[in-house]
Amino acid sequence: MNLTLKIWRQKGPKDKGSMVDYKVTEISEHMSFLEMMDVLNEQLINKGEEPVAFDHDCREGICGMCSMFINGEAHGPDRGVTTCQLHMRMFKDGDTITIEPFRAKAFPVIKDLVVDRSSFDRIQHAGGYISVNTSGNTQDANAIPISKHAADEAMDAATCIGCGACVASCKNASAMLFVGAKVSQYALLPQGQVEAVDRVKNMVAQMDLEGFGNCTNTGACEVECPKGISLENIARMNREFLSANVKS
Amino acid sequence: MSVLDSKVPKGPLKTKWTDYKNHIDLVNPANKRNIDVIVVGTGLAGGSAAATLAELGYNVKTFCYQDSPRRAHSIAAQGGINAAKNYQGDGDSTYRLFYDTVKGGDYRSREANVYRLAEVSANIIDQCVAQGVPFARDYGGLLDNRSFGGVLVSRTFYAKGQTGQQLLLGAYSAMNRQIARGKITPFNRHEMLDVVKVNGKARGIIARDLVTGEIERHSAHAVVIASGGYGNVYFLSTNAMGSNATAAWKIHKKGAFFANPCYTQIHPTCIPRSGDYQSKLTLMSESLRNDGRIWVPKNIDDVMAIREGKKKPTDLSEDERDYYLERRYPAFGNLVPRDVASRAAKERCDAGYGVNATGEAVYLDFASAIERYGKEQAKIHNIENASKEKIYDLGKAIVEAKYGNLFQMYEKIVDQDPYKTPMMIYPAVHYTMGGVWVDYNLMTTVDGLYCIGEANFSDHGANRLGASALMQGLADGYFVLPYTIGDYLSHEIRTGKIATDTPEFDEAEKEVTDKINFFLNNKGSHSVDYYHKKLGKIMWDKCGMSRNAAGLKEAMVEIKELREDFYKNVSVPGTANELNAELEKAGRVADFLELGELFAKDALERAESCGGHFREESVEIGGEQEGEAKRNDADFAFVSAWEYKGEPSAAVLHKEQLEFNEIELKQRSYK
């Protein structure tokens, strides 16, 4: 396949960026999207130009590092995948592909397609944990029975990879699917109950402080989430938040 | 050759760790506030260590090259974590986990370390559950287990096919708690480029801020390296793209011995390579072998017909298939350890029975599992005379619940539905069992410099069993290092803050800056990847699944030549004061180009077949074990620990003789 790529190039956080056109040739349909980007970069390096900076690491769909906005969609046109799992068979010979960074006020651009998602970490610091000492003296694991249904639901929420596709896909740049998934995991488990009230209040407060928008139930986040995190998690977070405010 | 002191405590194996903990020196809580510890790497080992040390009261600084600790490659581990809980009542015990691990490691691990690992394994599960890790549960609400290759009990705890992710998020959540308390200061998107030694002790590191390019000095009373493995020396591996050897290699150059570099685990169930553009290989959890049956066609005509697309695997009847693992290893069948399964796949493919275009793939088939589960479900739900379709649907649902995400991942990559047609798999480089040499305290040969998790030479020896890497990472970080490092730090309470404006820091920083400037000014004609791919090919061809003396000698020469060419002709675009991925890669590949040579040297030295590495000159001839790996305990029951002397070829070998008092060294048989 021969393709035209329109890629956002931005030297640094303070520089003004712009779209630049590139051509790539002999792209195999078996390549992943990131391998296609490798081919482009190899080509640029051999010409003495600067390669396109993009985040990527595990290339197995689990680390959540790759963050490309392709043809107007987070991680591109396929459903339920990260960018590393997007394959070139989704495109046709002669296509023009537009590639941009995830855009949100709380995700400032570092360079080209690389964005700063440390706001997600700060939300986690605000309460994304259960306060238990790592002493090795915790009670036997089977002393906390958890119904299979609750464990499975908690697992579904915990599956979030923190890639930020939800934020990038949302017209309000809301982080509520991400935060909802985190709050849900702990809300569904007995271990998380003791500090549930503080947790949801602190995490929501931090989310607002970081400059993420609110949820208006459009549902784009759920559609674009590579891990199928459900909107129910937002509902659950709202319920937890409301009840936390009623309680205290 | 000098003899290394492993500092294994005296006394009976069963009480060594307890006695040790009872007698070490402790640090008064008020003094812990005045002690700084640096942790490099924030995966399972580094993350759990950082959280625990911070909780104890030390001031911890963490470093990782990713944008968040949550992205460390531990996150990609799929299948599970072992623990001797015996919840199943199938005969598991601390001793049995210890025994299986030493045997699975082909008797090349340290007995006392492995026993300690087995001992604390049960605590890991308790700890993780308390932290909210959503392990799989059965319908009674209790923890579920699965079994893994190389063992006969069901001791593996799992969270779907995302166990590593959940355990890492657990450790990361423990870190978050300490970050919120101000006890951990995280330095993300930072890379450690050197260690700083003052009067023989590790006293800090030089790191580069990968966003601004700034070179930073960080001091501490002890430095912990938890930077993972070096599988990327092969270019193609199951490691993350950024996984590198730099931290481990830099400390090696500053005096930490590097042990067993040639011990690499080849994982049998990976998605086969499809072309030259490929950037990495994807692993499919070994847990798939619980239910999948591995086969190739019996007749070479069928192989050809399949390759040409004239036949489908599903066209072949049961007796036209060679279930070679079940045939060769009736006791363990498809659940033989990783090295045995990998080599058996290679043997069939080398004999011409590979089923894809490159001839490097075997089938992993779920058809009989789907049928078996379907019939079982029909019985459970009282469905009489269930149709074939109904049985398939019921069975598929069970397989999907167990391995759904792995099947989805396979389908995305290969574009085939593994529920309907068998998966294709082939071995790939996965986990490195060599690494920095450490004693029982997890301290390297440099005072105050520790190394944990995959970065050390590990407790596992030649070939580890599945589901034990996660166990080792968390055991080291949560339960071992916090004690052993305390004993060392108890002597540091009068040291006071360590200054960074000293000649030692000046010198280390200068070395780092010079190297960066060299790369940027070299203006050669080849990219970094060009060299990395060439190195990978030498490593796979000559230091891969099977090796021989002639090939290893060639590899040493070729790697040295490649390294010289790299320094003449590598091209690194961009500048130092910005995010520059090529510059990052250049430094890492430079280290791989040295490590690769030491790897070949170590493999040449070890003239025995053992675990994951098969030495062609050393094979069982005749008898029940014909064709299997032939270990040589009389000459090679030691850990090889290499001391750096300027050039990898000049490295000096030190031996730690392995002693086995509790276990009889036996031929490893899985038949």
Side-chain angles (χ1 to χ4, degrees):
Chain A
M1 282 190 280
N2 298 325
L3 303 164
T4 304
L5 308 174
K6 289 183 170 304
I7 303 180
W8 182 259
R9 300 301 306 257
Q10 182 174 340
K11 189 96 181 98
K14 294 193 184 88
D15 297 289
K16 198 167 167 252
S18 64
M19 300 299 288
V20 179
D21 288 8
Y22 297 95
K23 297 250 185 252
V24 283
T25 55
E26 289 176 53
I27 297 300
S28 150
E29 61 167 17
H30 296 298
M31 283 183 188
S32 74
F33 197 84
L34 299 184
E35 283 164 349
M36 185 276 295
M37 292 295 290
D38 292 340
V39 170
L40 168 71
N41 276 348
E42 186 75 11
Q43 194 178 303
L44 291 175
I45 294 164
N46 288 337
K47 279 198 288 183
E49 291 176 35
E50 267 219 56
V52 179
F54 63 95
D55 265 333
H56 63 104
D57 203 21
C58 78
R59 297 206 177 185
E60 292 180 29
I62 192 80
C63 77
M65 192 99 173
C66 55
S67 54
M68 285 185 203
F69 206 67
I70 301 160
N71 285 346
E73 288 183 87
H75 302 300
D78 205 355
R79 288 285 87 87
V81 294
T82 51
T83 312
C84 61
Q85 294 175 308
L86 176 68
H87 277 72
M88 296 313 290
R89 64 180 82 97
M90 297 299 292
F91 300 91
K92 292 192 305 291
D93 187 34
D95 273 0
T96 297
I97 307 174
T98 308
I99 311 168
E100 298 166 87
F102 282 6
R103 293 191 193 278
K105 190 177 143 203
F107 286 173
V109 173
I110 293 174
K111 185 180 180 180
D112 296 341
L113 306 172
V114 178
V115 298
D116 178 357
R117 282 168 292 189
S118 52
S119 46
F120 269 17
D121 285 299
R122 290 188 291 271
I123 294 170
Q124 296 267 82
H125 303 161
Y129 52 84
I130 288 170
S131 299
V132 55
N133 285 353
T134 51
S135 60
N137 294 316
T138 42
Q139 64 181 322
D140 184 88
N142 263 351
I144 314 171
I146 300 170
S147 80
K148 180 165 167 46
H149 181 69
D152 287 349
E153 262 198 303
M155 180 64 208
D156 287 343
T159 296
C160 167
I161 57 172
C163 65
C166 48
V167 174
S169 307
C170 176
K171 62 188 179 191
N172 309 320
S174 165
M176 284 176 76
L177 195 66
F178 169 77
V179 184
K182 298 293 157 198
V183 168
S184 288
Q185 182 195 341
Y186 297 121
L188 287 159
L189 296 171
Q191 304 94 307
Q193 295 309 314
V194 178
E195 47 195 339
V197 168
D198 289 338
R199 176 182 304 114
V200 68
K201 284 167 78 174
N202 292 342
M203 288 181 82
V204 168
Q206 188 64 34
M207 172 178 84
D208 290 343
L209 201 66
E210 295 289 348
F212 290 104
N214 259 315
C215 173
T216 46
N217 291 316
T218 309
C221 54
E222 186 186 61
V223 175
E224 298 292 347
C225 173
K227 296 295 156 188
I229 304 292
S230 140
L231 278 179
E232 280 172 35
N233 292 298
I234 297 185
R236 191 178 290 109
M237 177 177 73
N238 284 335
R239 202 159 57 238
E240 289 282 316
F241 185 68
L242 186 66
S243 103
N245 281 295
V246 171
K247 279 179 195 159
S248 57
Chain B
M1 267 173 244
S2 65
V3 177
L4 282 168
D5 181 7
S6 63
K7 302 207 173 75
V8 170
K10 298 267 177 291
L13 189 64
K14 286 186 172 63
T15 55
K16 274 184 203 296
W17 180 231
T18 309
D19 289 347
Y20 172 94
K21 287 191 290 183
N22 285 340
H23 293 98
I24 52 169
D25 290 331
L26 298 178
V27 184
N28 166 341
N31 287 330
K32 284 183 185 143
R33 287 196 285 272
N34 302 322
I35 289 182
D36 306 321
V37 182
I38 283 172
V39 180
V40 178
T42 52
L44 284 181
S48 57
T52 309
L53 295 174
E55 183 186 293
L56 287 171
Y58 303 109
N59 308 311
V60 179
K61 284 180 173 183
T62 60
F63 294 81
C64 70
Y65 71 79
Q66 299 92 344
D67 69 338
S68 165
R70 62 158 294 145
R71 305 206 202 280
H73 198 51
S74 304
I75 202 150
Q78 295 166 350
I81 177 166
N82 283 339
K85 279 284 203 183
N86 197 26
Y87 283 156
Q88 304 293 347
D90 55 2
D92 203 5
S93 64
T94 299
Y95 183 84
R96 200 176 286 276
L97 175 53
F98 156 70
Y99 175 84
D100 286 344
T101 310
V102 172
K103 178 186 167 202
D106 224 345
Y107 307 94
R108 291 293 175 265
S109 37
R110 195 185 284 147
E111 216 181 43
N113 283 49
V114 177
Y115 194 86
R116 176 173 66 185
L117 178 68
E119 213 178 330
V120 302
S121 65
N123 289 348
I124 299 174
I125 305 302
D126 298 341
Q127 185 64 48
C128 293
V129 166
Q131 285 168 354
V133 171
F135 281 121
R137 301 270 168 170
D138 62 24
Y139 284 97
L142 303 179
L143 289 153
D144 201 3
N145 288 117
R146 53 168 59 146
S147 56
F148 250 63
V151 292
L152 297 171
V153 293
S154 200
R155 66 158 72 101
T156 308
F157 294 78
Y158 66 102
K160 282 196 175 164
Q162 290 136 270
T163 315
Q165 177 194 31
Q166 294 311 315
L167 296 176
L168 179 65
L169 294 182
Y172 166 67
S173 74
M175 278 181 73
N176 283 330
R177 177 167 173 244
Q178 302 304 328
I179 294 169
R181 286 176 66 210
K183 292 305 291 182
I184 293 180
T185 312
F187 292 85
N188 305 337
R189 289 196 193 269
H190 275 66
E191 183 163 27
M192 167 189 157
L193 293 178
D194 212 349
V195 67
V196 181
K197 269 166 58 178
V198 181
N199 296 330
K201 289 181 175 177
R203 289 302 196 193
I205 65 167
I206 306 292
R208 179 169 179 266
D209 180 330
L210 299 179
V211 175
T212 65
E214 199 176 331
I215 303 297
E216 299 171 356
R217 301 174 179 201
H218 297 274
S219 68
H221 296 84
V223 175
V224 182
I225 304 296
S227 55
Y230 51 85
N232 272 344
V233 69
Y234 285 89
F235 187 72
L236 283 182
S237 80
T238 63
N239 287 14
M241 300 303 286
S243 297
N244 64 84
T246 289
W249 194 251
K250 292 295 198 268
I251 66 167
H252 170 57
K253 290 174 97 166
K254 287 281 163 80
F257 291 0
F258 206 97
N260 300 337
C262 79
Y263 282 177
T264 310
Q265 180 200 131
I266 312 275
H267 199 288
T269 51
C270 301
I271 298 179
R273 198 173 65 89
S274 63
D276 288 334
Y277 51 81
Q278 199 133 350
S279 59
K280 74 157 279 162
L281 297 169
T282 301
L283 179 145
M284 309 283 292
S285 168
E286 184 183 35
S287 63
L288 291 171
R289 288 198 280 143
N290 268 319
D291 285 315
R293 297 177 70 196
I294 295 174
W295 61 276
V296 291
K298 259 188 197 155
N299 305 312
I300 202 86
D301 296 346
D302 287 332
V303 174
M304 291 308 156
I306 284 173
R307 282 195 202 167
E308 288 160 16
K310 287 181 195 149
K311 267 191 182 175
K312 292 198 296 263
T314 43
D315 295 338
L316 265 56
S317 67
E318 189 96 358
D319 54 323
E320 290 172 313
R321 304 172 175 191
D322 176 14
Y323 295 92
Y324 57 88
L325 288 177
E326 296 168 35
R327 169 169 59 80
R328 285 177 60 180
Y329 307 100
F332 283 72
N334 293 297
L335 284 173
V336 292
R338 293 175 174 183
D339 59 325
V340 177
S342 297
R343 247 192 333 274
K346 185 171 187 289
E347 189 276 324
R348 281 296 79 197
C349 290
D350 287 351
Y353 291 86
V355 293
N356 67 348
T358 61
E360 292 185 337
V362 299
Y363 287 125
L364 177 62
D365 197 341
F366 286 84
S368 43
I370 290 174
E371 197 186 326
R372 175 166 47 90
Y373 283 125
K375 283 184 179 160
E376 193 179 290
Q377 286 299 306
K379 198 153 226 164
I380 290 169
H381 296 295
N382 265 329
I383 306 168
E384 278 179 37
N385 303 322
S387 66
K388 247 184 136 170
E389 289 73 29
K390 184 72 190 169
I391 288 175
Y392 172 83
D393 288 344
L394 290 168
K396 186 189 167 194
I398 299 293
V399 169
E400 194 170 357
K402 284 183 143 181
Y403 315 110
N405 70 309
L406 302 170
F407 277 51
Q408 183 234 13
M409 192 170 79
Y410 180 85
E411 188 172 356
K412 290 293 174 197
I413 293 173
V414 183
D415 204 23
Q416 284 181 359
D417 179 357
Y419 294 102
K420 295 211 170 87
T421 184
M423 288 182 178
M424 286 181 290
I425 54 163
Y426 196 69
V429 170
H430 183 45
Y431 190 92
T432 47
M433 280 159 297
V436 178
W437 186 89
V438 289
D439 62 18
Y440 189 76
N441 301 323
L442 306 180
M443 199 200 278
T444 68
T445 41
V446 174
D447 263 359
L449 184 58
Y450 290 79
C451 190
I452 60 175
E454 190 181 353
N456 75 20
F457 83 102
S458 104
D459 303 353
H460 296 100
N463 188 69
R464 103 191 137 77
L465 301 170
S468 48
L470 303 185
M471 178 169 66
Q472 191 216 343
L474 290 178
D476 284 1
Y478 281 140
F479 305 131
V480 179
L481 181 80
Y483 286 96
T484 61
I485 203 172
D487 191 38
Y488 173 80
L489 292 172
S490 66
H491 305 287
E492 292 288 335
I493 56 174
R494 291 183 187 84
T495 307
K497 198 93 192 149
I498 291 152
T500 56
D501 55 348
T502 57
E504 291 87 352
F505 274 92
D506 291 347
E507 197 188 324
E509 184 178 315
K510 186 173 178 305
E511 249 178 75
V512 166
T513 333
D514 286 351
K515 188 103 182 202
I516 288 171
N517 291 336
F518 166 80
F519 284 131
L520 294 170
N521 296 324
N522 197 46
K523 310 284 181 217
S525 47
H526 293 304
S527 70
V528 176
D529 277 354
Y530 167 89
Y531 289 100
H532 197 173
K533 284 180 186 172
K534 286 203 160 206
L535 173 66
K537 185 155 172 36
I538 301 171
M539 296 300 295
W540 181 250
D541 289 347
K542 293 175 178 168
C543 312
M545 276 167 73
S546 60
R547 305 146 184 195
N548 59 56
L552 291 165
K553 282 179 195 156
E554 280 164 25
M556 285 182 68
V557 175
E558 288 170 23
I559 295 167
K560 187 168 189 283
E561 284 169 3
L562 187 66
R563 187 168 66 239
E564 282 163 6
D565 188 54
F566 171 81
Y567 278 101
K568 271 188 209 130
N569 291 319
V570 73
S571 159
V572 180
T575 63
N577 302 320
E578 61 175 335
L579 186 80
N580 187 341
E582 285 297 308
L583 178 62
E584 293 167 27
K585 273 196 285 186
R588 294 167 191 169
V589 171
D591 292 335
F592 281 137
L593 282 165
E594 293 177 355
L595 169 66
E597 192 182 335
L598 184 68
F599 188 123
K601 187 178 161 84
D602 183 54
L604 182 61
E605 177 75 28
R606 192 165 287 276
E608 63 164 348
S609 282
C610 168
H613 55 281
F614 191 73
R615 188 69 181 261
E616 287 160 19
E617 301 93 326
S618 182
V619 55
E620 289 288 344
I621 299 164
E624 204 199 335
Q625 300 294 327
E626 181 165 7
E628 302 290 324
K630 187 178 168 67
R631 228 176 45 232
N632 175 353
D633 294 327
D635 298 321
F636 293 99
F638 64 81
V639 174
S640 55
W642 297 92
E643 182 184 5
Y644 184 76
K645 290 282 182 192
E647 278 281 314
S649 57
V652 171
L653 178 64
H654 299 261
K655 291 180 179 176
E656 179 198 337
Q657 210 57 42
L658 292 167
E659 281 172 33
F660 296 92
N661 301 315
E662 297 282 330
I663 283 188
E664 185 196 348
L665 273 67
K666 278 198 287 215
Q667 164 77 280
R668 226 164 123 236
S669 170
Y670 292 91
K671 292 198 188 252

